[in-house]
Amino acid sequence: MSGEEPSMSDQRDESNVIVPEATASRVSRRTVVKAGAGAGIAAAGVGGFVLGARRGGGRASAAGGANRTRQLRQARQAANVLVAGWEQDVGTLDPAKTICGHEARVVSQYASTLWGLEGGNTEMAGMLAESWEGSADGLTWTVKLKPNLTFQDGTAVDAAAVKWSFDRFLDANHPFYDPPYNLLSYYLGGPDLPNGIATVEVVDPLSLKFTLKTPDPIFETYMSVQYAAIVSPTAVEAMGNAAFGEKPVCAGPFQVSSWEKGVRIVLDRYDGYYGEKAKIDQLVIRPIVENAARLTALQEGEVDFIVAMSPEFIPVIESDPNLQLLQAPGYHIWWIALNVHVPPLDNQKVRQALNYAVDKQAIVDTILQGAATLSNGPI
């Protein structure tokens, strides 16, 4: 069986970014938005790469086509709008219910976790939390929130709201408990699971205590996943789970304005954001499933950058003078799991032989076009 781990791992592939040359200095991973894992549009941790076109560029050979491409981009620049071509549409916008990397990448634009990764740094940075500390036995964590935080509906991000947000998936008796919670439960537990969080207690208006069912050495990392983003209790209670999944209210740098399924997600800058404000007024995410169609949309000026292109397109992109490729490491793993309970894979020597027989570097160099590095761990 083969597949992709959707978040943290020891494997790094290259997250490649191409942006319009005219905006490369102002539309970067750290300047578009400063929030969540891989701060900015090209969130590290999900693999793939992001592409953008230079000013005036485009595949159109006719002067009319080139002019149209330029006009489209100039109009968006004047309106301070950025349009992204995503690899597919999301299934939901409720952070707790998302499951795929492409969804988590969207969530990071409008929602915030208590802490997480920022930019290319691998050290945890405070998001909604000012500080957090684990006990010596690893069973409890004390968290202090930053003061004066608000959700996008103006309500307070306080300890009671954070507890409500966690209880929503930890407590089967919570009025808005709505399983399955997919990867969120995998990382942080649930009412019927032996691992994860046992209880969340309010200590004071800005402090909480998390008690775990068992010590977890990577609890801090699990809390940084976008699925654990804090949501507005007021909004969920007013809208209900289903409606909240279409227009969530959280505490990120953008807020969801509209979601036209299969067409676009429109995110407007949230000026009440606690951190550095987004450099653009609006981010529009367009799902374009086919790789070639996504690249064409970029070259013809329909979008400003695209994500998650297949590595086979790297030579095409690098040969296009109108495209600029920026590279940064991502956290993402490609794996093959063997069923060790059936012959001949139950024989350790056979498994070792298969491992030695696979030229992994050749896969990286040819199939992945150099957009990966070999894993240095057991997976």
Side-chain angles (χ1 to χ4, degrees), residues 232-265:
S232 165
T234 302
V236 178
E237 290 171 353
M239 301 166 66
N241 285 317
F244 185 84
E246 297 188 2
K247 194 174 182 181
V249 177
C250 301
F254 290 93
Q255 55 188 339
V256 178
S257 174
S258 63
W259 174 24
E260 188 178 351
K261 295 181 181 181
V263 180
R264 66 177 62 83
I265 301 170

Side-chain angles (χ1 to χ4, degrees), residues 160-237:
V162 173
K163 172 180 167 57
W164 191 102
S165 192
F166 278 90
D167 284 350
R168 182 177 172 226
F169 72 90
L170 294 171
D171 181 4
N173 295 317
H174 191 281
F176 290 90
Y177 181 69
D178 183 32
Y181 285 104
N182 304 310
L183 288 176
L184 181 58
S185 293
Y186 173 78
Y187 288 124
L188 294 174
D192 300 321
L193 298 175
N195 64 302
I197 301 169
T199 61
V200 182
E201 301 172 62
V202 172
V203 176
D204 61 48
L206 291 179
S207 302
L208 304 105
K209 183 174 77 170
F210 289 78
T211 301
L212 308 186
K213 296 177 182 178
T214 58
D216 188 344
I218 52 176
F219 171 73
E220 185 181 27
T221 300
Y222 284 161
M223 287 282 282
S224 72
V225 297
Q226 296 304 320
Y227 321 113
I230 309 303
V231 303
S232 165
T234 302
V236 178
E237 290 171 353

Side-chain angles (χ1 to χ4, degrees), residues 305-347:
F305 62 91
I306 54 180
V307 304
M309 289 290 290
S310 171
E312 67 189 85
F313 285 85
I314 290 180
V316 177
I317 293 157
E318 290 181 326
S319 66
D320 189 330
N322 296 312
L323 300 180
Q324 182 184 9
L325 176 67
L326 311 177
Q327 292 184 310
Y331 301 95
H332 185 72
I333 187 168
W334 286 13
W335 48 268
I336 295 176
L338 305 179
N339 185 347
V340 301
H341 301 293
V342 298
L345 298 177
D346 58 347
N347 186 326

Side-chain angles (χ1 to χ4, degrees), residues 1-312:
M1 182 174 72
S2 66
E4 300 179 17
E5 170 61 36
S7 60
M8 278 69 72
S9 73
D10 291 331
Q11 174 73 7
R12 290 190 176 203
D13 65 4
E14 294 297 320
S15 288
N16 305 304
V17 183
I18 304 181
V19 296
E21 185 177 63
T23 57
S25 62
R26 68 181 181 90
V27 183
S28 69
R29 295 162 69 92
R30 292 187 62 83
T31 59
V32 172
V33 53
K34 188 178 179 183
I41 300 303
V46 291
F49 49 85
V50 183
L51 319 169
R54 298 174 188 266
R55 177 190 290 273
R59 192 162 63 98
S61 57
N67 286 336
R68 178 178 179 275
T69 298
R70 183 165 51 252
Q71 290 168 359
L72 287 172
R73 291 205 172 99
Q74 288 175 344
R76 289 197 297 271
Q77 288 175 1
N80 205 18
V81 173
L82 209 61
V83 180
W86 238 240
E87 66 268 43
Q88 66 182 85
D89 199 7
V90 300
T92 178
L93 291 173
D94 184 340
K97 302 284 284 184
T98 55
I99 189 171
C100 298
H102 75 279
E103 292 177 326
R105 207 186 310 123
V106 178
V107 170
S108 67
Q109 306 310 315
Y110 61 81
S112 292
T113 49
L114 293 176
W115 56 79
L117 298 177
E118 191 170 51
N121 198 328
T122 57
E123 296 297 322
M124 292 295 172
M127 300 300 176
L128 301 178
E130 183 176 89
S131 64
W132 57 99
E133 184 177 8
S135 62
D137 63 6
L139 283 174
T140 62
W141 285 77
T142 302
V143 178
K144 185 172 181 59
L145 301 176
K146 295 176 180 177
N148 304 317
L149 298 177
T150 61
F151 291 108
Q152 292 144 1
D153 58 4
T155 59
V157 181
D158 55 16
V162 173
K163 172 180 167 57
W164 191 102
S165 192
F166 278 90
D167 284 350
R168 182 177 172 226
F169 72 90
L170 294 171
D171 181 4
N173 295 317
H174 191 281
F176 290 90
Y177 181 69
D178 183 32
Y181 285 104
N182 304 310
L183 288 176
L184 181 58
S185 293
Y186 173 78
Y187 288 124
L188 294 174
D192 300 321
L193 298 175
N195 64 302
I197 301 169
T199 61
V200 182
E201 301 172 62
V202 172
V203 176
D204 61 48
L206 291 179
S207 302
L208 304 105
K209 183 174 77 170
F210 289 78
T211 301
L212 308 186
K213 296 177 182 178
T214 58
D216 188 344
I218 52 176
F219 171 73
E220 185 181 27
T221 300
Y222 284 161
M223 287 282 282
S224 72
V225 297
Q226 296 304 320
Y227 321 113
I230 309 303
V231 303
S232 165
T234 302
V236 178
E237 290 171 353
M239 301 166 66
N241 285 317
F244 185 84
E246 297 188 2
K247 194 174 182 181
V249 177
C250 301
F254 290 93
Q255 55 188 339
V256 178
S257 174
S258 63
W259 174 24
E260 188 178 351
K261 295 181 181 181
V263 180
R264 66 177 62 83
I265 301 170
V266 179
L267 306 170
D268 293 330
R269 182 176 61 210
Y270 173 50
D271 289 330
Y273 179 57
Y274 63 88
E276 182 181 345
K277 307 302 185 289
K279 303 299 183 183
I280 55 175
D281 293 334
Q282 189 176 84
L283 170 63
V284 179
I285 295 174
R286 286 183 49 197
I288 306 174
V289 177
E290 294 296 329
N291 283 302
R294 202 152 63 251
L295 179 57
T296 298
L298 172 69
Q299 292 171 316
E300 295 186 349
E302 299 292 338
V303 299
D304 298 302
F305 62 91
I306 54 180
V307 304
M309 289 290 290
S310 171
E312 67 189 85

